[in-house]
C-alpha cells in the first residue's frame, strides 16, 4: 500500500516537474521578449544584453518554485496563480510604460481613481496583438486540462522546492553581482527605474519597488524635529537674495498661473506645413512686456502634472517614485496659496477634471487653496470633452464667471486638458493639419497644441477686456513632456536632427516659461532655471521675503540665482555642463565635456544629488511639521471645503 502511494507521489512529482520546467522556460522567454521589445531600456554592450536575457530566469525559478511548497493539485493551482500574477504584472507594466514611459511603483497603485479616469487613454494604448501577452498562460491551461492530474496525500517534498529556488537564487545573485560590477550602487542610488529593469529584470524590480515603498512610509514615523536642522542649514546657504530691481514689482497684484499642459519648448516658433503651430505663444515670446525664459526645464517625474504643481507650489522636488500629491497629501506644507492667503489673497484652482484626480481635492487643502473648481463646476458638454475633461475653450469661458466671484487680490491657477496624450481631437475642431511623421500621437500633438494656443489667446482677450491684464501678474509654464522617449524616431523627423541622450535632455525637457508683470520690462531671459525656481521668483516679485521658508529653488531674477537645474533622476543641466546618465556634455556644443571641466561637473553632481536627497527627506519625513517660518500660520485643513464651489454662481451673495 505504501509503495503504491509512493509511486503515485513520484509520478505526480515527475509530471509536475515537466510542467514546471515548461512554465519556467515560457515565462523566461516571454519576459525576455517583452523586455526587449516593449521597453526602451538603453541596453548597451554584451554584458547588458546577457543580463537582460538571464534576469527573468532567476526570478521565474524562485517565484514559480514556490509552487513546490504545495501538495498535489494545489501545486498546479499555485503554479498557475503565480504564473498569472507575474504575467499580469508584466502586462500592466507594459501598459503603464506606453503611457508614462516608466514602470509602475506601488504608490501609483494607490491611484486607482487615476487609473479609472485614464480609461480613455487605455483604449488608445491597447494594441491588437496584446492578447499575445497571455497566450502562454492559455497554453499551460490546455496542457493542464488535457491530462488527468491526480492529487497526492504524501509528504511535501521540500527538497525539490528548495533546489529550484536555490538555483534561482544563485542565478539572481550572480546577476546582481555582474550588474553591480557594470553599474556600481545600482540598488542604493535607484534614481532610475530603467536601470533596475535593465539589469535585474521586471520581477526583481517589483520586489525592489515594494521594499522602497515600505521604507518610505516608515520614514515619516521615524523622522523627528532634529532632522529639519540640516535642511534649514542647506536652504539658508542656498538662498538667493532678491534683486532690488524686481523685488515687489507686482506687489498687491493678482496672480494668474496658467498651466500649459504638455507644451514643450520645441513648439515655440515651430513651423508645420509653412504655418506657425502656436502663433499666439510665439507672439508672447516677442512681447516686450512679457519676460520669456528660453532655458527653462521641467523637473517632473512619475507624478507629471501633479509633480509640476507640487514643485512650483512648494519649491520642493516631487518624489522619485509615485506622486507626492497622492502619497503625501496629508503632509504639512507651506505652499504658495497659504503664504499668500496670509497676505490677504484668495486662492483658487480651475481644472475641468474630476477633483480626486491626482488627489487634488485633498492636497489642495494642505496647500491652503480656498477654492477648487473641478469638473463639477463646469457644464461638461459631451461634444466638448477631451480625455481628461472639458476642452480648453469652453473651460476658460466657463471659468470666467467663477473667477469674477473671487475677491481681489487673488492667486488663481488654470490647468487645461486638451493638449494631453494621446492628443486626439475631433477633426472638425482642428485648424492645422497633423504632422506627417506617421507616428500618430506625435502627428496629432501639433493639432491639440494649436487648439490650446487658440484657447489661450481667447482667455488673454478676456483678461485684457476685463482690465485684469493691468493688475495681474501672469505666470505660464509647460508642465512636462507631451512626447515621451518612445517616440524619438518621429521626433527626429520633427526636429530634423538625431535625438541623442544630450538632445533628449537639453532640448526635450525644455518647456516654455513666461512672466508678465504690468509695468515691468520683459524680453527674452536666458537664465537657466526650472520649476523649482518659480515659487521664490513669484514671492519676491510680490514683495514677499522667502528666507524663512524651506525652498530648494532660487529666484530666477536674483543675481545669486543658481543656474544648475537638477532633474529628478540626478541628471542636470547648467549653462556649462549637461549631465545625462552619468555622462557629462558641454552644454553649448553637446560634445563630451572636456577633461579639464570634469571635476567641476562632479561637484555640481554632488550638490544636485544632495538637494534631491534633502528634499526627499523633507517630503518623506513630513518635516515641515517641525518648521515654523516667522509670521506663518500653519494651515488647518479642516477650514477648507470645496463642496460648495460648484454652486458658487447660484449664491445670491458671494463673499
Ligand atoms: C489630469 C491632468 C493630466 O487632471 O492634469 O495629468 P497628467 O497626466 O498630465 O499628469
Ligand atoms: Mn500634464
Amino acid at each position: 500500500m505504501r509503495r503504491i502511494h509512493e509511486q503515485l507521489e513520484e509520478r505526480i512529482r515527475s509530471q509536475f516537474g515537466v510542467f514546471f520546467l515548461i512554465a519556467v522556460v515560457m515565462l523566461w522567454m516571454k519576459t525576455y521578449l517583452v523586455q526587449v521589445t516593449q521597453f526602451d531600456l538603453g541596453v548597451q554592450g554584451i554584458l547588458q544584453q546577457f543580463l537582460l536575457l538571464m534576469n527573468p530566469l532567476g526570478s521565474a525559478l524562485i517565484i514559480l518554485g514556490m509552487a513546490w511548497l504545495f501538495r498535489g493539485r494545489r501545486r498546479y493551482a499555485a503554479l498557475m496563480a503565480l504564473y498569472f500574477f507575474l504575467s499580469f504584472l508584466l502586462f500592466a507594466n507594459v501598459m503603464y510604460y506606453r503611457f508614462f514611459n516608466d514602470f509602475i511603483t506601488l504608490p501609483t497603485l494607490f491611484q486607482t481613481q487615476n487609473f479609472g479616469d485614464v480609461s480613455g487613454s487605455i483604449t488608445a494604448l491597447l494594441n491588437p496583438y496584446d492578447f499575445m501577452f497571455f497566450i502562454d498562460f492559455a497554453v499551460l491551461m490546455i496542457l493542464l486540462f488535457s491530462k488527468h492530474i491526480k492529487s497526492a496525500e504524501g509528504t511535501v517534498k521540500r527538497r525539490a522546492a528548495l533546489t529550484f529556488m536555490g538555483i534561482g537564487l544563485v542565478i539572481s545573485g550572480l546577476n546582481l553581482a555582474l550588474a553591480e560590477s557594470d553599474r556600481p550602487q545600482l540598488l542604493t542610488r535607484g534614481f532610475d527605474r530603467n536601470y533596475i529593469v535593465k539589469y535585474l529584470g521586471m520581477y526583481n524590480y517589483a520586489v525592489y519597488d515594494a521594499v522602497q515603498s515600505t521604507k518610505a512610509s516608515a520614514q515619516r514615523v521615524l523622522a523627528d524635529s532634529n532632522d529639519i536642522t540640516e535642511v534649514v542649514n542647506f536652504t539658508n546657504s542656498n538662498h538667493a537674495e532678491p534683486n532690488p530691481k524686481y523685488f515687489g514689482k507686482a506687489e498687491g497684484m493678482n496672480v494668474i498661473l496658467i498651466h500649459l499642459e504638455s507644451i514643450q519648448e520645441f513648439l515655440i516658433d515651430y513651423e508645420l506645413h509653412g504655418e506657425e503651430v502656436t502663433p499666439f505663444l510665439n507672439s508672447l515670446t516677442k512681447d516686450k512686456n512679457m519676460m520669456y525664459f528660453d532655458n527653462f526645464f521641467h523637473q517632473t517625474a512619475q507624478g507629471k502634472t501633479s509633480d509640476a504643481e507640487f514643485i512650483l507650489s512648494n519649491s520642493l522636488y516631487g518624489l522619485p517614485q509615485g506622486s507626492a500629491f497622492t502619497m503625501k497629501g496629508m503632509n504639512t506644507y507651506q505652499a504658495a496659496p497659504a503664504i499668500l492667503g496670509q497676505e490677504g489673497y484668495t486662492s483658487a484652482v480651475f481644472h475641468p477634471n474630476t477633483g480626486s484626480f491626482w488627489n487634488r481635492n485633498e492636497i489642495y487643502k494642505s496647500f491652503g487653496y480656498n477654492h477648487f473648481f473641478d469638473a463639477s463646476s463646469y457644464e461638461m458638454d459631451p461634444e466638448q470633452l477631451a480625455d481628461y475633461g472639458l476642452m480648453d475653450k469652453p473651460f476658460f469661458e466657463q471659468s470666467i464667471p467663477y473667477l469674477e466671484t473671487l475677491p481681489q487680490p487673488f492667486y488663481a491657477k488654470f490647468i487645461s486638458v486638451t493638449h494631453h496624450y494621446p492628443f486626439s481631437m475631433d477633426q472638425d475642431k482642428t485648424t492645422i493639419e497633423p504632422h506627417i511623421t506617421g507616428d500618430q500621437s506625435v502627428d496629432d500633438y501639433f493639432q491639440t497644441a494649436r487648439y490650446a494656443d487658440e484657447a489661450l489667446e481667447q482667455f488673454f482677450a478676456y483678461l485684457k477686456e476685463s482690465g485684469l491684464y493691468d493688475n495681474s501678474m501672469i505666470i505660464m509654464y509647460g508642465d512636462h513632456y507631451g512626447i515621451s522617449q518612445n517616440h524619438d524616431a518621429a521626433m527626429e523627423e520633427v526636429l530634423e536632427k538625431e535625438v541623442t541622450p544630450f538632445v533628449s535632455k537639453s532640448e526635450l525637457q525644455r518647456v516654455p516659461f513666461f512672466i508678465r508683470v504690468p509695468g515691468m520690462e520683459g524680453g527674452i531671459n536666458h537664465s537657466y532655471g526650472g520649476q523649482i525656481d518659480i515659487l521664490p521668483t513669484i514671492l519676491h516679485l510680490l514683495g514677499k521675503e522667502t528666507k524663512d521658508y524651506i525652498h530648494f529653488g532660487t529666484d530666477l531674477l536674483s543675481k545669486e540665482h543658481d543656474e544648475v537645474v537638477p532633474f529628478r533622476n540626478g541628471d542636470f543641466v547648467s549653462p556649462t555642463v549637461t549631465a545625462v546618465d552619468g555622462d557629462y556634455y558641454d552644454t553649448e556644443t553637446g560634445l563630451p565635456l572636456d577633461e579639464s571641466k570634469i571635476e567641476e561637473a562632479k561637484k555640481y553632481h554632488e550638490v544636485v544629488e544632495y538637494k534631491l536627497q534633502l528634499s526627499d527627506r523633507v517630503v518623506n519625513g513630513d518635516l515641515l511639521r517641525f518648521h515654523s517660518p516667522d509670521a506663518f500660520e500653519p494651515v488647518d485643513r479642516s477650514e477648507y471645503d470645496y463642496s460648495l464651489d460648484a454652486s458658487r454662481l447660484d449664491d445670491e451673495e458671494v463673499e
Side-chain angles (χ1 to χ4, degrees):
M1 185 66 199
R2 222 172 126 210
R3 236 186 94 77
I4 298 173
H5 193 91
E6 269 171 22
Q7 274 177 356
L8 185 65
E9 170 75 357
E10 185 54 44
R11 228 185 85 210
I12 286 177
R13 219 151 24 90
S14 64
Q15 262 181 18
F16 181 80
V18 173
F19 189 65
F20 170 79
L21 287 176
I22 294 175
V24 167
V25 171
M26 288 208 307
L27 186 69
W28 174 22
M29 286 299 122
K30 170 169 81 172
T31 312
Y32 172 68
L33 284 176
V34 169
Q35 288 180 175
V36 170
T37 58
Q38 303 294 307
F39 308 131
D40 180 12
L41 298 172
V43 180
Q44 288 167 343
I46 301 241
L47 178 64
Q48 291 188 10
Q49 301 272 11
F50 174 72
L51 290 179
L52 194 68
L53 172 67
M54 288 314 288
N55 60 38
L57 176 60
S59 318
L61 280 168
I62 298 172
I63 303 173
L64 297 182
M66 288 194 252
W68 285 91
L69 298 173
F70 294 84
R71 294 180 194 197
R73 282 178 197 214
R74 289 218 192 116
R75 196 173 277 174
Y76 288 88
L79 182 78
M80 293 308 286
L82 289 165
Y83 199 98
F84 185 79
F85 172 72
L86 295 177
S87 300
F88 186 76
L89 184 77
L90 189 66
F91 179 64
N93 270 286
V94 169
M95 293 292 287
Y96 192 82
Y97 193 89
R98 282 185 199 157
F99 192 82
F100 292 104
N101 193 33
D102 205 340
F103 299 97
I104 297 180
T105 66
L106 268 189
T108 52
L109 286 185
F110 296 118
Q111 300 158 12
T112 37
Q113 178 68 36
N114 287 4
F115 273 95
D117 285 358
V118 293
S119 50
S121 306
I122 282 178
T123 17
L125 291 170
L126 275 171
N127 285 334
Y129 61 80
D130 283 348
F131 71 92
M132 285 169 53
F133 283 97
F134 294 95
I135 274 196
D136 49 337
F137 183 76
V139 169
L140 280 183
M141 275 294 196
I142 293 167
L143 276 180
L144 188 62
F145 286 110
S146 62
K147 267 194 198 152
H148 183 55
I149 304 292
K150 294 191 185 88
S151 71
E153 296 299 323
T155 50
V156 183
K157 296 282 175 189
R158 287 188 193 276
R159 247 208 347 242
L162 293 177
T163 313
F164 283 114
M165 289 166 84
I167 298 173
L169 277 173
V170 169
I171 295 177
S172 294
L174 266 174
N175 184 165
L176 180 61
L178 284 171
E180 284 275 344
S181 73
D182 197 48
R183 170 68 60 175
Q185 297 179 310
L186 176 67
L187 290 183
T188 42
R189 276 186 83 241
F191 274 122
D192 197 336
R193 283 170 286 280
N194 255 319
Y195 291 180
I196 313 271
V197 177
K198 173 166 73 174
Y199 286 110
L200 305 182
M202 194 69 247
Y203 309 121
N204 285 322
Y205 160 75
V207 174
Y208 164 84
D209 170 61
V211 173
Q212 288 297 316
S213 307
T214 316
K215 246 185 8 206
S217 47
Q219 275 162 334
R220 184 180 192 276
V221 183
L222 296 176
D224 68 41
S225 53
N226 296 326
D227 296 329
I228 195 80
T229 316
E230 188 180 344
V231 178
V232 171
N233 288 344
F234 176 78
T235 51
N236 274 345
S237 66
N238 189 49
H239 177 76
E241 282 299 314
N243 184 339
K245 189 173 164 204
Y246 297 107
F247 189 77
K249 272 281 178 224
E251 193 161 347
M253 290 185 189
N254 302 311
V255 182
I256 297 176
L257 286 135
I258 306 177
H259 179 109
L260 304 171
E261 178 59 46
S262 301
I263 298 276
Q264 292 177 245
E265 207 267 347
F266 73 81
L267 276 170
I268 302 297
D269 289 335
Y270 190 83
E271 288 201 7
L272 178 63
H273 316 304
E275 287 174 57
E276 290 177 73
V277 178
T278 53
F280 183 64
L281 277 176
N282 299 350
S283 73
L284 293 181
T285 65
K286 292 160 194 109
D287 180 339
K288 64 179 178 8
N289 295 313
M290 181 69 84
M291 198 176 267
Y292 172 61
F293 291 79
D294 63 352
N295 288 316
F296 192 84
F297 297 82
H298 85 78
Q299 294 165 298
T300 66
Q302 279 191 318
K304 299 193 74 189
T305 286
S306 69
D307 275 357
E309 288 190 63
F310 186 82
I311 301 169
L312 73 93
S313 307
N314 298 288
S315 196
L316 292 170
Y317 290 98
L319 290 175
Q321 294 182 335
S323 154
F325 258 45
T326 21
M327 292 164 62
K328 306 290 176 186
M330 309 298 269
N331 273 12
T332 297
Y333 293 102
Q334 286 140 12
I339 299 173
L340 293 173
Q342 293 168 23
E343 304 286 320
Y345 277 73
T346 301
S347 51
V349 177
F350 299 80
H351 181 56
N353 189 13
T354 329
S356 55
F357 199 96
W358 286 131
N359 195 33
R360 286 183 172 105
N361 50 1
E362 288 302 328
I363 202 167
Y364 283 168
K365 295 178 189 166
S366 312
F367 287 179
Y369 270 113
N370 301 116
H371 303 283
F372 176 25
F373 301 98
D374 68 2
S376 62
S377 302
Y378 296 84
E379 224 173 278
M380 305 291 281
D381 175 0
E383 297 283 296
Q384 310 257 32
L385 288 188
D387 279 320
Y388 288 85
L390 189 64
M391 293 182 74
D392 300 358
K393 289 180 188 175
F395 161 59
F396 281 120
E397 270 163 34
Q398 293 185 38
S399 298
I400 290 167
Y402 289 111
L403 181 66
E404 292 180 343
T405 66
L406 301 183
Q408 298 190 31
F410 54 69
Y411 173 90
K413 177 160 70 177
F414 294 83
I415 308 171
S416 58
V417 297
T418 311
H419 185 50
H420 190 289
Y421 182 87
F423 312 108
S424 49
M425 223 178 113
D426 277 352
Q427 283 308 301
D428 57 4
K429 292 198 180 76
T430 60
T431 55
I432 188 166
E433 289 298 307
H435 211 300
I436 48 161
T437 68
D439 176 329
Q440 198 173 356
S441 13
V442 174
D443 293 352
D444 294 352
Y445 180 87
F446 295 86
Q447 294 192 303
T448 45
R450 164 64 75 79
Y451 174 88
D453 189 66
E454 290 169 351
L456 191 68
E457 184 170 19
Q458 288 178 13
F459 187 53
F460 266 65
Y462 158 75
L463 293 175
K464 286 178 189 162
E465 255 163 53
S466 63
L468 285 172
Y469 204 60
D470 304 318
N471 65 350
S472 306
M473 157 158 85
I474 299 174
I475 307 282
M476 294 191 290
Y477 58 92
D479 63 343
H480 50 73
Y481 67 80
I483 308 281
S484 73
Q485 282 173 8
N486 295 337
H487 304 276
D488 278 355
M491 281 311 291
E492 297 198 336
E493 281 185 49
V494 169
L495 300 176
E496 292 177 8
K497 67 163 91 161
E498 192 189 341
V499 177
T500 58
F502 174 78
V503 168
S504 153
K505 200 103 271 177
S506 74
E507 292 192 30
L508 296 179
Q509 303 252 357
R510 224 175 258 257
V511 291
F513 181 61
F514 297 89
I515 303 178
R516 183 182 191 278
V517 175
M520 188 178 96
E521 203 186 319
I524 298 189
N525 187 317
H526 301 300
S527 291
Y528 275 66
Q531 290 160 333
I532 198 83
D533 303 316
I534 297 181
L535 181 58
T537 309
I538 294 182
L539 290 178
H540 287 171
L541 281 165
L542 293 172
K544 179 90 190 140
E545 288 283 356
T546 58
K547 209 170 171 53
D548 273 347
Y549 289 94
I550 291 180
H551 289 166
F552 283 87
T554 56
D555 179 353
L556 288 158
L557 301 169
S558 162
K559 295 204 173 91
E560 297 166 8
H561 168 63
D562 181 358
E563 289 195 279
V564 179
V565 187
F567 296 112
R568 186 54 260 196
N569 66 351
D571 288 346
F572 64 87
V573 59
S574 78
T576 49
V577 185
T578 299
V580 192
D581 292 342
D583 294 323
Y584 300 121
Y585 300 88
D586 183 317
T587 301
E588 274 178 26
T589 61
L591 296 172
L593 194 67
D594 195 75
E595 205 52 44
S596 63
K597 295 186 185 148
I598 298 278
E599 273 316 300
E600 186 197 358
K602 283 192 175 154
K603 281 204 193 99
Y604 285 169
H605 219 151
E606 271 167 30
V607 178
V608 161
E609 297 206 351
Y610 186 54
K611 277 186 186 173
L612 291 166
Q613 200 196 89
L614 275 188
S615 171
D616 288 349
R617 254 192 258 169
V618 172
V619 179
N620 285 323
D622 190 9
L623 296 187
L624 293 180
R625 68 195 148 129
F626 305 124
H627 182 63
S628 330
D630 268 357
F632 178 82
E633 270 299 305
V635 172
D636 176 359
R637 289 173 46 87
S638 68
E639 285 173 10
Y640 301 87
D641 174 9
Y642 306 130
S643 63
L644 294 177
D645 286 329
S647 52
R648 208 170 152 75
L649 295 177
D650 311 334
D651 296 353
E652 278 174 36
E653 258 178 66
V654 209
E655 80 295 4

